[in-house]
Amino acid sequence: MIGNHRLLGRLLLAVSLLLLPAAAGAQELYTYTVGVFGSIGGSLDADPGGSLTNTGYQLNLGLVTEPHTHLVLRTGRLNLDKDKLFGSLSNADMEYVTLGGEYRYSEEYYESGAFVALGAYRLSGTRASGRDSREETWGVSAGFTGELPIRRWLGVQAEIAGHYVDFHEEQFFVTGHLGVAFHF
């Protein structure tokens, strides 16, 4: 187990060193971004449980690869318990990790952007029989982002995304996020 962690650490270091020259050549005022967000959303095709006011969180880890181009890892959790049932599950939640490209447009007072990402998704909950249920599959997401800079190293960021995930009962999800982005 410890050998696996060391191998993973070495691989991450090697990838970071390979990406560093591209990031250093980018003409941004920063190289890395960490975003922390509160989330709201749900499934468009859940019946019952189609509420779009479920809450959650998301963490973004971004790397500038070219001017106005970012590689962003997004990980989050959406609690799907606003309604008593979500499809055939109670106490349901969806967790995800996506990796994708984001292109940013600089405006006079803010930055806006668009992104597309591939990801891994997990839907968990409890069946009517009382048994725990867990479904894992791949999915895609796309969306738009906007950031209002407060300082060179800090901004308020909003994001809206659509997710297509091939779960058995639900496939279409919408999420909105609001939080802060730290640049360094």
Side-chain angles (χ1 to χ4, degrees):
M1 184 81 146
I2 293 174
N4 288 341
H5 290 290
R6 286 183 182 163
L7 178 61
L8 180 61
R10 288 179 184 153
L11 285 173
L12 288 174
L13 179 61
V15 169
S16 298
L17 290 175
L18 290 173
L19 293 174
L20 193 57
Q27 298 175 354
E28 304 284 348
L29 297 175
Y30 53 87
T31 304
Y32 303 101
T33 300
V34 174
V36 180
F37 304 92
S39 303
I40 190 168
S43 176
L44 298 174
D45 58 350
D47 186 25
S51 174
L52 298 179
T53 58
N54 296 289
T55 59
Y57 63 86
Q58 180 173 290
L59 174 69
N60 290 7
L61 303 173
L63 171 69
V64 176
T65 58
E66 295 285 331
H68 306 291
T69 306
H70 300 213
L71 179 66
V72 181
L73 176 80
R74 291 174 169 85
T75 183
R77 179 183 178 131
L78 190 61
N79 299 316
L80 300 167
D81 58 359
K82 193 70 169 179
D83 295 330
K84 199 167 202 168
L85 290 175
F86 181 77
S88 62
L89 301 174
S90 62
N91 298 320
D93 61 64
M94 180 179 73
E95 298 171 305
Y96 56 92
V97 175
T98 66
L99 181 65
E102 180 176 315
Y103 188 78
R104 293 272 182 116
Y105 309 93
S106 294
E107 307 294 341
E108 189 172 343
Y109 297 108
Y110 66 94
E111 275 192 354
S112 60
F115 65 89
V116 176
L118 296 173
Y121 292 80
R122 176 187 302 147
L123 180 63
S124 303
T126 306
R127 296 226 174 263
S129 64
R131 297 186 70 191
D132 289 339
S133 174
R134 183 183 197 162
E135 185 177 358
E136 297 173 346
T137 190
W138 294 95
V140 295
S141 67
F144 300 99
T145 184
E147 182 177 333
L148 180 64
I150 304 299
R151 298 272 188 247
R152 184 186 68 76
W153 56 271
L154 177 67
V156 174
Q157 190 171 343
E159 184 176 292
I160 186 165
H163 305 260
Y164 173 77
V165 187
D166 193 21
F167 291 133
H168 290 300
E169 295 182 47
E170 300 82 13
Q171 286 81 36
F172 298 99
F173 293 82
V174 176
T175 55
H177 313 278
L178 180 64
V180 293
F182 302 95
H183 305 289
F184 52 97

